[in-house]
Amino acid sequence: MHLYSDTLNRALSSPNLFFGARQGIGVLLPIIVFIGLLNEHEMGFAFAAGALAIALVDQPGGTRRFRRKEMFFTLVMGNLAALTTGLAKPFPEILWLVIGAQVFGLSMLSVFGKRGGLVGFCCLLMMVLSLSSDSVSSLPIMEQSLLTLAGSSYYFLLSITISYLFRLFEVRLTLAAAVYATARYMQARADFYDVNNDLDACFRRLLPRMISMTDAHQSARDSVLRSLPED
């Protein structure tokens, strides 16, 4: 019972739950409105696709300022990639060049780390959705691109608004995750003091918890220290 309650407390105190709920609401709301209420399946798919691409970038970690920059870059480059691909679809020779250049350029964002790679993946996702839109939508390319842009802008503004309104709550969740990660690491360290434990097994348990604690502490530093005013 104690282990179950501890796992539940860690899950409820994790920023992943907060971000996951924000992403789920942000992507499902357009689907409910366009498809469930208005019965506009094609418009709902294009709008939700734009929101989904930005939602995937909206992940825990980093400062709010950096997350806004990442989402804005995805909004601009992703919609530009989708529009360019859609305009090039009637010309197969040009389409291959456009896709090759975009895949190479956006994949190179991985040099900025895993978050840069995620941004590049989301831009490529929008390109692929635009490439395969004929099978799920008969909308003109310009109308579809505008709907995708509207969906991306909608989620971008929604994320900024929620992050501002719940900024202190988000910081508390990040600090709580760091405290739990530190406690689990210290618990693994304490196993070394038991002479009956196997040292190799203790090391195998320690290393994942040490990595998890380091990531949690970095997220806490980004949320608290790097968000302070410079003056």
Side-chain angles (χ1 to χ4, degrees):
M1 183 64 181
H2 173 70
L3 293 177
Y4 175 77
S5 61
D6 183 61
T7 302
L8 180 62
N9 287 334
R10 286 205 311 268
L12 294 177
S13 302
S14 171
N16 295 322
L17 178 63
F18 175 72
F19 278 84
R22 183 164 72 189
Q23 292 169 334
I25 294 173
V27 176
L28 286 177
L29 190 58
I31 296 177
I32 295 174
V33 173
F34 281 96
I35 298 178
L37 299 180
L38 303 179
N39 200 27
E40 294 286 350
H41 293 77
E42 296 180 347
M43 295 178 62
F45 173 79
F47 196 95
L52 174 63
I54 308 301
L56 292 175
V57 183
D58 190 18
Q59 299 290 337
T63 63
R64 288 191 297 271
R65 182 175 66 256
F66 286 157
R67 280 204 305 272
R68 287 196 298 266
K69 290 181 179 179
E70 291 167 354
M71 288 190 292
F72 183 74
F73 181 85
T74 306
L75 188 154
V76 175
M77 293 303 299
N79 283 281
L80 183 61
L83 177 61
T84 305
T85 304
L87 293 176
K89 274 195 295 187
F91 312 99
E93 296 82 3
I94 300 177
L95 180 61
W96 282 107
L97 295 175
V98 168
I99 292 177
Q102 290 180 354
V103 169
F104 176 78
L106 294 173
S107 297
M108 289 300 292
L109 292 176
S110 298
V111 301
F112 296 104
K114 61 181 181 180
R115 297 186 71 91
L118 182 61
V119 170
F121 166 77
C122 293
C123 293
L124 290 174
L125 175 63
M126 296 182 72
M127 182 197 74
V128 172
L129 291 176
S130 175
L131 188 64
S132 60
S133 60
D134 292 340
S135 59
V136 295
S137 176
S138 60
L139 295 174
I141 183 60
M142 290 304 298
E143 183 177 350
Q144 181 178 338
S145 298
L146 288 175
L147 284 169
T148 305
L149 177 61
S152 303
S153 303
Y154 143 79
Y155 186 87
F156 178 70
L157 295 175
L158 176 69
S159 176
I160 290 178
T161 303
I162 294 178
S163 183
Y164 177 78
L165 294 177
F166 295 94
R167 58 190 183 278
L168 295 180
F169 179 69
E170 184 178 322
V171 170
R172 292 192 186 102
L173 290 179
T174 305
L175 292 175
V179 171
Y180 273 111
T182 304
R184 296 181 70 244
Y185 170 76
M186 296 303 297
Q187 184 181 28
R189 285 287 300 269
D191 292 339
F192 285 93
Y193 294 93
D194 190 341
V195 295
N196 297 319
N197 289 336
D198 180 45
L199 291 180
D200 291 335
C202 291
F203 271 114
R204 285 194 294 270
R205 287 193 300 267
L206 179 68
L207 289 178
R209 296 188 180 187
M210 182 175 64
I211 295 172
S212 176
M213 181 189 68
T214 303
D215 292 340
H217 285 184
Q218 183 61 50
S219 297
R221 284 192 292 268
D222 291 339
S223 298
V224 179
L225 299 180
R226 298 181 65 182
S227 299
L228 293 176
E230 296 182 357
D231 54 354

